[in-house]
Amino acid sequence: VDAPRVSDGTAGGTAALVNQGATQARTAMTVAQSLTAGLHAPAEGTLVAASGATTAGGYDGGTQAYDTLGDAWTAKTRGNVNRDEGSGFVSYGNVYVVAGNSGAGAFTATGELYKLDEDRWTQITNITNSRRQAPGTGANNMGFVQTGNSAAGGSTGTDLNQRYDPANDSWSQQTVVPRIGRVGGGFSMSNLPHHVS
C-alpha cells in the first residue's frame, strides 16, 4: 500500500484516504450558557450543563440536559444558586456544583448536588475555600476541586486541593498542588485527578 486507505470491509469499499475537513452540526442548547461548571455525564448518553452566565456579566443557575444519541437539549430544574465559573464533578451518578462567582466582585462557597433521575437540586456542605475557575474532577466516587482564582476582579492563582466525600457530606484539605498560580486545566484519568496549566 503506497498511501493510507480506508475500507468499509468489502472488496469494493476500499479507497484512498484524503485530507478533508468534516463537521457535524448538533442541536443548540435551549438557552445560550457560558462559563458553566462544565459538561458532566451522570448517566449513559446524557450530558448536563449547569450554572453559568447567560448574558455578559450575568449569573445563572440554569440547568440543561443533552441527549447525545437523540441530539436534543432539555431544560431542567434550575439550581438554587445563581453563579458562573463554578466547579463541577460527578460522583455516584450525581452532578455536583460548588463555588464560583455569585455577583459582581463576589464569590460563593455554596455547594449543590443535582439528581438527574429526580430532576432535583439539593444543598450540600459548603466548600471551605470559595473561589472561581477551579477545575472540578470526580475520581473514586470523591470530588476534587483544585487550584482556582481567588481574586474576584483580577487573577490570583491558588494551590488549594480540596476533596469532597459524598458519603458523609464533608470537605477536607489535601496536599496542595506543587506549583501555585494555576487556574483551570484539571482532568481525570484512571480514577486519579490530574492538573495541568
Side-chain angles (χ1 to χ4, degrees):
V1 176
D2 60 355
R5 302 277 174 176
V6 292
S7 175
D8 65 4
T10 65
T14 300
L17 182 65
V18 296
N19 184 11
Q20 181 175 342
T23 60
Q24 183 177 17
R26 306 296 283 174
T27 302
M29 297 174 118
T30 56
V31 175
Q33 200 171 359
S34 67
L35 303 175
T36 67
L39 275 175
H40 302 284
E44 185 75 27
T46 302
L47 297 174
V48 172
S51 301
T54 56
T55 59
Y59 306 89
D60 194 81
T63 305
Q64 303 178 63
Y66 179 64
D67 176 353
T68 61
L69 298 177
D71 184 29
W73 285 93
T74 306
K76 296 294 186 181
T77 298
R78 299 173 56 78
N80 299 309
V81 177
N82 290 331
R83 72 179 102 207
D84 72 3
E85 297 186 309
S87 306
F89 55 88
V90 173
S91 178
Y92 292 110
N94 297 318
V95 175
Y96 292 79
V97 176
V98 300
N101 285 321
S102 60
F107 288 156
T108 181
T110 53
E112 301 180 274
L113 77 88
Y114 177 70
K115 292 181 177 287
L116 178 65
D117 57 345
E118 299 175 13
D119 188 26
R120 180 172 57 92
W121 284 95
T122 305
Q123 188 166 353
I124 63 169
T125 298
N126 291 350
I127 193 167
T128 49
N129 296 93
S130 61
R131 57 201 184 272
R132 65 187 175 103
Q133 299 172 332
T137 303
N140 295 320
N141 288 316
M142 301 281 186
F144 294 85
V145 176
Q146 299 173 328
T147 67
N149 188 342
S150 62
S155 183
T156 302
T158 72
D159 61 359
L160 293 170
N161 180 15
Q162 295 174 274
R163 182 181 71 191
Y164 177 74
D165 183 351
N168 58 27
D169 186 28
S170 67
W171 288 94
S172 61
Q173 299 287 348
Q174 304 294 296
T175 303
V176 297
V177 177
R179 189 173 139 235
I180 195 168
R182 299 179 179 200
V183 174
F187 64 94
S188 177
M189 182 173 65
S190 300
N191 289 321
L192 294 173
H194 297 268
H195 200 283
V196 295
S197 58

